[in-house]
Amino acid sequence: MQTDSTSTDTRKRNNKYFTNHHKKRKLFTIEPGMTGFLCTCNFNEKGCITDAYKLLNQFADEDAMSKRVEEPKVSDASDTLDKKEDKSSSDFDKEEDISTALEKEIDELRTKSEIPLYSRRFQVVDTNVKNMIFIKSTLPKPLELVTKIVTELDATKKQCTRYLLRLLPIEVVCKAYMDDIRTKANVLLEEYFSQEPKTFSIVFNRHSNNSIKRNEIIEDLAEIISKKNPGNKADLKNPEIAVVVEVIRGLCLLSIAPNYYKFKKYNLIEICNSTKNKESEIKGDESEIKDDETEKDEIKNP
């Protein structure tokens, strides 16, 4: 009797473990409504995640610091009086300032460590597709951060990633149904195509999904863009903006990518490779992820 009771308790604990483990995995899966960054790699996903965290945090911190520096400093009479204080008093204040700064830094680190994973500035979530990583972000404009990254890499040619290949800013994640895609795309494209006329291309990538019709999604998005401004024209070779559609299983990820071919389809390794000739801006490069279930297409002039 005792043995049966022990085995029953063991089974209950194991079932509880697997149930909690399943819930945890489900919590960190890409879902509609998210925004962030789509990363691709060649087989080393852990290295890709490390590269992505390091790069995104570096540029996000630099951006935050530059905004603080640009804030106007308010001066008043108290500033003038402070400058006339005795040197001994100012030395004492400096020691206090250093101590206060250290305490503040420790408090900030402690606060960051206590932030729930799902509320952090950058958090990896599962796409259920090999070699494709999604970094969920709380930043309101992922495109702004990626633009800073690719612009600097293009100027310096300094390679700062080893396993992370492509880095796409994802502004919309929705279900892979045409009605949902049209609704979300209509709102997103309003911001980029309703003002001055622009040249554009639509890039379609499909991963582990056979239900979405390639021609339908390309034609529908082209129609939406044309209605935003009749002056918008398709251009395959050198579009001002590429609308990149990544269909991953049951989800559709929409990305706005200015200078898509100039920045080597946002392949960070290729951007830093200064020996590439101009033809690589149009042709696909070999370092991108290969998948038998991936299809690519672009819109032609309607």
Side-chain angles (χ1 to χ4, degrees):
M1 294 293 291
Q2 187 175 358
T3 304
D4 292 340
S5 176
T6 303
S7 60
T8 301
D9 292 341
T10 303
R11 283 197 298 271
K12 287 182 178 179
R13 287 196 298 269
N14 289 339
N15 290 336
K16 184 176 181 181
Y17 168 78
F18 285 118
T19 301
N20 292 337
H21 186 63
H22 176 71
K23 289 181 179 179
K24 186 176 182 181
R25 285 179 58 83
K26 187 176 180 180
L27 179 65
F28 295 101
T29 302
I30 185 171
E31 297 175 353
M34 290 182 175
T35 59
F37 309 88
L38 183 65
C39 311
T40 66
C41 61
N42 282 337
F43 310 115
N44 194 327
E45 294 186 358
K46 289 184 178 179
C48 176
I49 294 171
T50 301
D51 281 351
Y53 276 156
K54 182 178 179 182
L55 185 68
L56 293 172
N57 278 302
Q58 175 189 335
F59 277 84
D61 289 342
E62 289 177 359
D63 187 46
M65 184 66 69
S66 65
K67 288 179 180 178
R68 287 188 197 133
V69 173
E70 290 173 2
E71 290 179 358
K73 185 179 179 181
V74 180
S75 59
D76 52 25
S78 62
D79 292 337
T80 306
L81 293 173
D82 289 341
K83 292 178 182 178
K84 296 181 180 180
E85 289 182 349
D86 185 70
K87 289 184 180 180
S88 60
S89 176
S90 89
D91 290 340
F92 179 74
D93 289 341
K94 285 180 181 179
E95 291 179 2
E96 281 195 339
D97 289 341
I98 293 173
S99 177
T100 303
L102 287 173
E103 289 179 2
K104 184 179 179 181
E105 185 173 352
I106 292 172
D107 289 339
E108 289 178 353
L109 290 173
R110 185 182 295 112
T111 301
K112 286 181 180 180
S113 66
E114 293 173 353
I115 296 176
L117 289 176
Y118 220 61
S119 302
R120 292 182 181 178
R121 182 170 59 177
F122 304 114
Q123 176 59 49
V124 63
V125 295
D126 192 9
T127 64
N128 293 313
V129 175
K130 188 178 293 186
N131 298 330
M132 302 201 74
I133 309 297
F134 187 77
I135 306 291
K136 173 185 173 291
S137 178
T138 58
L139 297 180
K141 292 289 184 181
L143 176 58
E144 291 183 2
L145 187 59
V146 174
T147 299
K148 291 179 187 296
I149 292 172
V150 296
T151 301
E152 182 164 327
L153 295 185
D154 185 58
T156 62
K157 302 298 180 184
K158 182 179 179 182
Q159 184 173 326
C160 55
T161 63
R162 182 178 179 183
Y163 303 105
L164 169 62
L165 299 180
R166 297 178 69 220
L167 179 67
L168 278 176
I170 302 300
E171 302 207 28
V172 171
V173 176
C174 62
K175 292 183 179 180
Y177 299 113
M178 286 308 304
D179 289 343
D180 201 18
I181 294 172
R182 291 190 198 99
T183 301
K184 297 297 191 297
N186 187 56
V187 176
L188 174 65
L189 299 176
E190 176 74 21
E191 180 180 354
Y192 296 96
F193 292 101
S194 63
Q195 305 301 321
E196 298 179 359
K198 293 182 177 68
T199 57
F200 69 93
S201 68
I202 297 175
V203 182
F204 179 85
N205 300 326
R206 174 162 53 189
H207 315 271
S208 303
N209 182 301
N210 294 318
S211 61
I212 284 288
K213 296 180 180 179
R214 181 182 63 227
N215 292 337
E216 183 179 5
I217 195 170
I218 290 175
E219 290 171 3
D220 284 7
L221 293 186
E223 184 180 357
I224 292 174
I225 293 174
S226 298
K227 287 182 178 179
K228 298 298 178 186
N229 190 316
N232 294 326
K233 298 296 180 183
D235 185 349
L236 282 178
K237 294 184 178 181
N238 189 30
E240 294 176 73
I241 296 180
V243 180
V244 184
V245 183
E246 299 278 350
V247 178
I248 301 178
R249 293 187 178 273
L251 296 175
C252 178
L253 287 63
L254 298 178
S255 173
I256 300 297
N259 300 309
Y260 186 63
Y261 295 109
K262 174 186 176 183
F263 292 135
K264 313 296 184 184
K265 300 181 180 180
Y266 286 41
N267 186 309
L268 307 186
I269 305 297
E270 291 299 317
I271 290 175
C272 297
N273 186 353
S274 58
T275 61
K276 278 283 183 183
N277 57 36
K278 293 183 179 179
E279 292 180 0
S280 65
E281 295 180 5
I282 302 173
K283 296 179 180 179
D285 54 76
E286 296 180 356
S287 61
E288 288 188 12
I289 179 174
K290 299 295 187 297
D291 190 333
D292 292 336
E293 295 182 290
T294 300
E295 296 184 22
K296 301 183 179 181
D297 202 354
E298 297 169 347
I299 185 168
K300 298 179 181 179
N301 279 302

